[in-house]
Amino acid sequence: MTATDPALTALVSGWATLSLLHSRIETHIERALQSRNSLSVREYALLDVLSRQHDGEGGHLQMKQVADAVVLSQSATTRLVSRLENRGLLARYLCPTDRRGIYTDVTADGLELLTEARPTHDAACREALDEAATHPELASLAEAVRTVGTPFPRLKRTAP
């Protein structure tokens, strides 16, 4: 493959388009969350991920798992956790079965803020996708984002 290979050019172009869509969506959500809920996109994502933990086996995430879920490095995630802990939105505690492990939970204030911010986040995401769909170069990707996670309809079996 050479730098002028059409397959490579198409791949790079596709990646650039995906990156552009991501940037537009994230920027739109960031502005909405900041103005209405005083949260960044990353703060919202962290609260959302941590709010889904449960007390069952494997229900609490280690910091590496949290970092992977919010797409940040472990050090950036630790700084983000500290910032939200200082705001009273998160609390850390020692793992009851492994005193070396530290877990993080969302506080009542954090859950309240997340509940208030969720409609803002969801509406901003829909708005950003609607806007992206008006641009021919982004329309197919915007539609793909809308359908990710949507279950496929079950096909009815017909008798042979």
Side-chain angles (χ1 to χ4, degrees):
M1 221 188 269
T2 66
T4 57
D5 184 331
L8 181 58
T9 302
L11 178 68
V12 170
S13 177
W15 171 244
T17 304
L18 179 60
S19 183
L20 175 63
L21 177 63
H22 175 270
S23 177
R24 285 182 178 205
I25 293 170
E26 188 171 65
T27 298
H28 189 79
I29 295 170
E30 179 81 29
R31 287 181 184 142
L33 285 172
Q34 282 289 349
S35 68
R36 296 181 195 131
N37 305 102
S38 299
L39 278 176
S40 72
V41 168
R42 298 291 183 219
E43 291 168 339
Y44 175 88
L46 181 62
L47 289 172
D48 185 52
V49 165
L50 291 175
S51 74
R52 297 172 192 273
Q53 296 182 117
H54 57 83
D55 289 331
E57 187 175 332
H60 287 273
L61 301 172
Q62 297 173 346
M63 195 57 68
K64 179 177 180 354
Q65 294 169 304
V66 174
D68 289 346
V70 297
V71 194
L72 289 173
S73 68
Q74 278 189 259
S75 60
T77 302
T78 299
R79 288 190 301 274
L80 185 58
V81 166
S82 294
R83 202 165 55 241
L84 292 181
E85 186 178 33
N86 289 340
R87 288 176 58 187
L89 304 174
L90 297 177
R92 293 186 228 199
Y93 64 96
L94 290 175
C95 172
T97 58
D98 180 359
R99 303 302 272 173
R100 296 169 296 171
I102 298 175
Y103 291 132
T104 306
D105 266 339
V106 182
T107 64
D109 287 346
L111 287 173
E112 183 178 335
L113 181 57
L114 178 62
T115 300
E116 291 170 6
R118 187 166 274 123
T120 300
H121 175 274
D122 295 350
C125 187
R126 278 191 303 276
E127 290 164 6
L129 285 168
D130 289 346
E131 197 281 325
T134 67
H135 300 277
E137 71 276 14
L138 298 176
S140 62
L141 283 175
E143 183 57 31
V145 170
R146 287 185 195 282
T147 59
V148 170
T150 303
F152 290 103
R154 293 188 184 251
L155 298 176
K156 292 182 182 177
R157 291 188 161 209
T158 56

